[in-house]
Amino acid sequence: YQRRVHGELADYPHKLIDFLDPIQTYSAADFRRDALAEIESAYQQGKTPILVGGTMMYFKSLVEGISELPEAQQDIRADIEQLAQLHGWSYIHDKLAEVDPESAQRIHPNDPQRINRAYEIYLISGNTM
């Protein structure tokens, strides 16, 4: 996917912007890995990296690191999503509450992405978040 270069981007080179197709999955762990590599590259070139834009979740993952969690498994995610289509995300949230009450308490019942990931982690590893 080609990065659009115009105006500010042409005058001030940016990294990690418009470099993926929007349908590609890109996690906070992916961002952290890529950002650390770009920061190191800038330092090796005698430049000072400036971090702008994005969400605090990604910035926090860069600064504080992230938990070692199992990698996503698309087949398990698909199974969870199929269950959610049949029974609704509140059903999956209830299933999560049975195995990981702390995460279920923290995750809003209308947040399917986080519900899916928390339940997926349990199904993959038997561990809670």
Side-chain angles (χ1 to χ4, degrees):
Y1 192 74
Q2 282 196 317
R3 182 164 58 105
R4 286 175 266 132
V5 178
H6 59 280
E8 192 174 284
L9 293 179
D11 294 337
Y12 305 97
H14 286 58
K15 304 292 182 180
L16 305 180
I17 185 171
D18 289 342
F19 72 108
L20 294 173
D21 188 306
I23 64 168
Q24 283 183 268
T25 302
Y26 193 69
S27 68
D30 295 331
F31 169 77
R32 185 172 196 278
R33 178 200 61 230
D34 294 345
L36 288 172
E38 290 295 346
I39 290 167
E40 180 62 28
S41 175
Y43 284 138
Q44 287 180 2
Q45 296 172 42
K47 297 178 181 178
T48 301
I50 299 172
L51 306 174
V52 297
T55 68
M56 285 308 296
M57 178 185 77
Y58 282 78
F59 187 78
K60 185 175 178 178
S61 76
L62 178 62
V63 173
E64 297 177 7
I66 54 176
S67 300
E68 291 294 323
L69 298 174
E71 286 192 31
Q73 291 185 12
Q74 293 305 324
D75 57 332
I76 291 177
R77 281 191 177 188
D79 290 345
I80 295 169
E81 288 176 15
Q82 186 176 21
L83 272 176
Q85 285 179 350
L86 289 171
H87 303 287
W89 281 106
S90 62
Y91 172 80
I92 305 299
H93 190 268
D94 291 345
K95 298 295 274 178
L96 176 62
E98 291 173 12
V99 296
D100 186 357
E102 280 187 35
S103 292
Q105 181 77 24
R106 228 180 23 253
I107 300 169
H108 193 279
N110 292 333
D111 190 344
Q113 182 175 357
R114 287 189 174 88
I115 294 168
N116 194 338
R117 181 62 177 145
Y119 196 46
E120 174 192 24
I121 287 168
Y122 175 77
L123 293 176
I124 291 169
S125 68
N127 297 321
T128 62
M129 286 183 63

